[in-house]
Amino acid sequence: MIVNTTAIVLKTFPYGETSLISRCFTKEKGKVSFIIRGAQSKKNLTAPYFQPLSHIQIIYNEKEKRDLQIVSKVNFVDIWLKISSSLKKMTLLQSILEITDFTLEINDPHPTLFTILIDIVSYFEKGSVEPNLAFWFYECELLSEMGFRIDLTNNKINGYSFPDPDEGENSLKVLQHLINRRVDQIIFDNVSKKDKKIISNYLYQQLCYHFERFDHLKSFKVARDVLNSV
């Protein structure tokens, strides 16, 4: 079956001497792995399309029994020009890609989450939302999309206790706005360093509870330091 879908590249690595394997989050099919033959050869111009964070339109002939799909055609949908100039934004987005790759199952579509992810990257590109808020918002949306919508009134699930989200002056209010998609109502200047630590740790514990071995994600450890900084 011919599939024509938008996608965002999650991770790409070399395969053999000239090829690449790329895992992409596609809007139509969820997470899909592709092999791009000859992408590392000098005459092949497809490698730039499969850099992590690339927003692409991809066409391929889906073979259900094949672990690696073969790309027929690829084009850029958006080119992010400003993100790479900010180490903070690059660090947080790299973590978002790793979180997405870790939590999604192969061929399990989540078109709503895909749209939200593209929106998040656009926020980072345009600078229209504080990076911390965009990152926390994506965590909340991912949990909700996977069936684990946060209930701030219940801090214990099956004997597992979550941190108190109300320990900071504004931490609970910020979390409420994030969960209810009211990011525009958050005044980030009023979010203290203590609030940041409480929010980051609370969402991290939610992810660790619902996704086994989540605490092993390397990029997330760096992202937490960035989120908690002044």
Side-chain angles (χ1 to χ4, degrees):
M1 180 179 71
I2 301 298
V3 178
N4 186 345
T5 180
T6 52
I8 190 162
V9 179
L10 300 175
K11 185 175 183 178
T12 298
F13 49 91
Y15 181 75
E17 294 184 0
T18 61
S19 299
L20 295 172
I21 289 177
S22 183
R23 282 202 298 274
C24 299
F25 181 16
T26 72
K27 186 174 184 179
E28 303 299 328
K29 294 291 182 175
K31 188 168 71 173
V32 180
S33 293
F34 298 94
I35 183 167
I36 305 95
R37 301 190 188 280
Q40 298 187 82
S41 64
K42 293 181 180 179
K43 295 182 179 180
N44 195 305
L45 302 178
T46 57
Y49 293 104
F50 293 95
Q51 295 298 310
L53 206 61
S54 291
H55 185 197
I56 56 177
Q57 186 78 27
I58 193 166
I59 299 175
Y60 65 99
N61 186 8
E62 183 184 40
K63 303 289 186 181
E64 292 185 0
K65 295 183 179 181
R66 181 182 290 164
D67 292 332
L68 298 173
Q69 304 297 329
I70 298 175
V71 177
S72 299
K73 187 176 181 180
V74 60
N75 289 295
F76 283 116
V77 176
D78 286 305
I79 298 177
W80 318 113
L81 298 175
K82 299 178 182 178
I83 291 172
S84 60
S85 64
S86 169
L87 180 59
K88 178 175 181 176
K89 290 180 180 181
M90 287 298 296
T91 300
L92 294 180
L93 282 170
Q94 179 58 45
S95 183
I96 283 175
L97 294 183
E98 187 177 17
I99 292 169
T100 305
D101 188 20
F102 182 82
T103 54
L104 290 180
E105 299 290 339
I106 294 291
N107 296 324
D108 182 19
H110 288 278
T112 300
L113 185 64
F114 177 86
T115 300
I116 291 168
L117 177 55
I118 297 301
D119 288 343
I120 292 295
V121 181
S122 296
Y123 295 157
F124 277 81
E125 172 72 7
K126 297 174 183 177
S128 55
V129 176
E130 281 286 340
N132 285 58
L133 296 181
F135 189 93
W136 294 332
F137 178 67
Y138 186 72
E139 289 179 292
C140 292
E141 288 297 307
L142 184 144
L143 283 162
S144 182
E145 180 70 16
M146 297 299 177
F148 308 123
R149 181 179 169 83
I150 295 172
D151 179 3
L152 291 170
T153 65
N154 183 11
N155 271 357
K156 185 175 289 188
I157 302 177
N158 296 328
Y160 186 97
S161 297
F162 296 103
D164 183 1
D166 197 20
E167 286 188 349
E169 184 177 352
N170 293 295
S171 53
L172 180 62
K173 183 185 294 184
V174 171
L175 281 166
Q176 288 171 334
H177 285 323
L178 290 167
I179 293 166
N180 292 302
R181 297 183 173 181
R182 297 195 299 260
V183 180
D184 59 322
Q185 296 186 28
I186 301 171
I187 302 173
F188 190 70
D189 288 343
N190 293 340
V191 182
S192 67
K193 185 174 182 179
K194 182 178 180 180
D195 289 327
K196 292 177 185 177
K197 288 184 177 180
I198 292 168
I199 295 165
S200 295
N201 187 46
Y202 181 83
L203 293 175
Y204 174 70
Q205 293 299 328
Q206 286 278 343
L207 289 161
C208 286
Y209 175 77
H210 292 294
F211 300 102
E212 187 177 358
R213 297 180 63 82
F214 186 88
D215 59 330
H216 287 64
L217 297 188
K218 294 180 180 179
S219 69
F220 196 86
K221 295 177 181 178
V222 179
R224 288 182 72 192
D225 291 337
V226 172
L227 291 167
N228 295 340
S229 63
V230 178

